[in-house]
C-alpha cells in the first residue's frame, strides 16, 4: 500500500486546541464533548475517508461528516478502498485444519451462547441511514481490536457498549449472559444459533429492536462437528482474524502519516502492510 501525505483541502479548519482534528479536519463541534471511544471511531473513519479521496474513489468535495455520520458516497468509497488495499490471503486447508483441531469446542452445534452486544435502537423518527453508519463505525472499531482482554482496561467492546448502546445491558458492558434460542427474538436467534462463530461477528445483526454489534464469548451444548462439516465456518474465522490484523495495521499506517490533534491513536511510522 502506497500512501502520500494527506492534503485535507478546503475542508481543513484553523487549529484550535479544544477541537480534535485529523489533518486539520474537525471531528466535532467546538462546544461538543465526546467520549474517547467515539472520538477514536470518528478519527478512524476520517482517516479512511481521506484515504478514499486521495485514491480518487471519493470526490474531494465530499463534506466532512457532521456528528460523525459519513455520507453514503463516503461509506461506499471506504468499502471500495478497503477491498482494494487490504490483502487477505485465502486460508489454506492445513491452516484451517490446525485451527479446527486447536478450537474444536468452538465448532459444536451449540444451543446455548454467552453474548454481549451494542444495540443501536430503531425508534420512531430515527434516521436509519445515519444509525446504520454509526453501527458500522462501531463494528469497524471493535473488530479492529478483537481479542482485547475481556473486562480489562483495554476492553474496547465493553467501553463501546457503555458509551453507545441503547440497551440497559450497556451499563454492564453489553453483557447478555447465557442465552438459548428461546430467549431471543427469532430473527436474532437465527443469526446467533444458525452459525458456529465465536468472537465479534463480522456483520451487523438485525432484529426488531434495531442493529446489534454482537460478540459471542462462548458456546455450549450440542455435538462436536467434524472438520469437513464446518470447514466453511473455520475459513470464515481465519479470514476474520486476517481482516482484523490487516485493518489494524492499515489504520496504524494512516495514523502514522497523518497530523492528529486531540485524539490518541496507535500510529506506525513505517508501513506494516503493502
Amino acid at each position: 500500500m502506497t500512501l502520500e501525505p494527506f492534503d485535507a483541502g478546503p475542508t481543513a479548519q484553523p487549529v484550535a486546541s479544544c477541537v480534535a482534528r485529523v489533518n486539520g479536519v474537525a471531528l466535532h463541534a467546538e462546544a461538543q464533548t465526546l467520549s474517547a471511544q467515539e472520538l477514536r471511531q470518528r478519527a478512524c473513519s476520517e482517516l479512511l475517508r481521506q484515504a478514499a479521496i486521495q485514491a480518487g474513489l471519493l470526490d474531494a468535495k465530499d463534506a466532512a461528516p457532521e456528528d460523525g455520520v459519513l455520507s453514503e458516497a463516503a461509506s461506499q468509497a471506504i468499502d471500495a478502498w478497503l477491498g482494494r488495499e487490504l490483502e487477505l490471503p485465502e486460508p489454506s486447508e492445513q491452516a484451517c485444519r490446525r485451527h479446527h483441531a486447536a478450537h474444536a469446542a468452538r465448532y459444536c452445534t451449540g444451543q446455548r451462547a454467552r453474548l454481549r452486544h451494542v444495540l443501536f435502537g430503531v425508534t420512531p423518527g430515527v434516521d436509519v441511514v445515519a444509525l446504520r453508519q454509526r453501527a458500522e463505525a462501531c463494528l469497524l472499531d471493535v473488530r479492529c481490536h478483537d481479542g482485547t482482554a475481556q473486562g480489562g482496561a483495554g476492553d474496547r467492546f465493553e467501553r463501546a457498549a457503555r458509551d453507545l448502546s441503547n440497551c440497559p445491558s450497556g451499563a454492564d458492558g453489553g453483557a447478555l449472559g447465557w442465552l438459548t434460542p428461546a430467549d431471543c427474538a427469532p430473527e436474532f436467534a437465527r443469526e446467533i444459533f444458525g452459525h458456529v462463530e465465536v468472537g465479534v461477528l463480522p456483520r451487523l445483526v438485525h432484529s426488531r429492536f434495531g442493529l446489534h454489534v454482537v460478540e459471542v464469548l462462548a458456546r455450549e451444548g450440542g455435538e462436536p462437528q467434524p472438520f469437513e462439516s464446518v470447514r466453511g465456518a473455520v475459513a470464515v474465522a481465519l479470514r476474520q482474524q486476517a481482516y482484523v490484523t490487516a485493518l489494524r495495521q492499515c489504520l496504524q499506517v494512516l495514523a502514522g502519516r497523518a497530523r492528529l490533534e486531540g485524539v490518541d491513536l496507535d500510529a506506525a511510522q513505517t508501513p506494516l502492510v503493502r
Side-chain angles (χ1 to χ4, degrees):
M1 179 174 68
T2 302
L3 295 171
E4 300 298 332
F6 285 120
D7 177 5
T11 56
Q13 302 175 30
V15 174
S17 60
C18 59
V19 177
R21 301 173 189 273
V22 172
N23 292 315
V25 177
L27 299 178
H28 57 90
E30 187 169 350
Q32 187 178 19
T33 301
L34 301 179
S35 68
Q37 173 82 13
E38 188 169 2
L39 194 60
R40 280 191 296 267
Q41 287 182 7
R42 291 193 184 188
C44 289
S45 294
E46 181 58 24
L47 284 170
L48 293 170
R49 188 186 74 90
Q50 292 183 17
I53 290 174
Q54 183 186 12
L57 297 172
L58 180 63
D59 193 322
K61 295 180 180 179
D62 178 77
E66 297 180 2
D67 296 329
V69 179
L70 293 165
S71 67
E72 184 175 354
S75 294
Q76 293 174 351
I78 288 171
D79 285 343
W81 188 83
L82 288 172
R84 190 175 75 177
E85 296 294 332
L86 298 188
E87 297 182 4
L88 303 177
E90 188 65 18
S92 68
E93 180 81 5
Q94 185 179 20
C96 287
R97 289 186 178 277
R98 283 199 305 267
H99 179 83
H100 178 261
H103 304 93
R106 293 186 179 183
Y107 299 99
C108 292
T109 305
Q111 292 303 309
R112 194 168 84 119
R114 186 160 65 91
L115 309 175
R116 57 182 179 174
H117 78 150
V118 183
L119 172 64
F120 293 82
V122 174
T123 55
V126 71
D127 183 337
V128 177
V129 173
L131 185 76
R132 181 179 182 86
Q133 290 170 342
R134 291 190 181 97
E136 288 174 342
C138 177
L139 178 62
L140 176 74
D141 184 67
V142 297
R143 284 192 71 195
C144 186
H145 297 84
D146 189 16
T148 305
Q150 296 164 19
D155 190 338
R156 191 66 59 89
F157 197 105
E158 179 177 327
R159 295 204 304 274
R162 291 184 185 279
D163 291 345
L164 305 173
S165 184
N166 298 133
C167 177
S169 67
D172 193 27
L176 296 175
W178 286 97
L179 299 179
T180 68
D183 297 322
C184 310
E187 65 275 13
F188 187 88
R190 282 193 297 270
E191 280 295 312
I192 303 304
F193 297 98
H195 304 271
V196 293
E197 301 152 307
V198 173
V200 177
L201 300 187
R203 61 191 177 277
L204 294 175
V205 175
H206 297 246
S207 81
R208 64 196 65 183
F209 304 107
L211 303 172
H212 308 254
V213 177
V214 177
E215 182 174 17
V216 180
L217 298 169
R219 293 182 185 271
E220 285 186 356
E223 296 295 327
Q225 298 297 298
F227 172 77
E228 288 72 18
S229 66
V230 295
R231 199 236 185 260
V234 174
V236 167
L238 291 182
R239 289 190 201 102
Q240 180 176 351
Q241 289 179 8
Y243 179 90
V244 167
T245 299
L247 178 58
R248 181 185 297 125
Q249 292 177 341
C250 179
L251 287 169
Q252 287 175 340
V253 172
L254 293 176
R257 294 174 181 264
R259 187 174 73 256
L260 303 177
E261 303 165 54
V263 59
D264 183 22
L265 295 176
D266 294 333
Q269 298 301 323
T270 56
L272 298 177
V273 292
R274 292 182 294 168

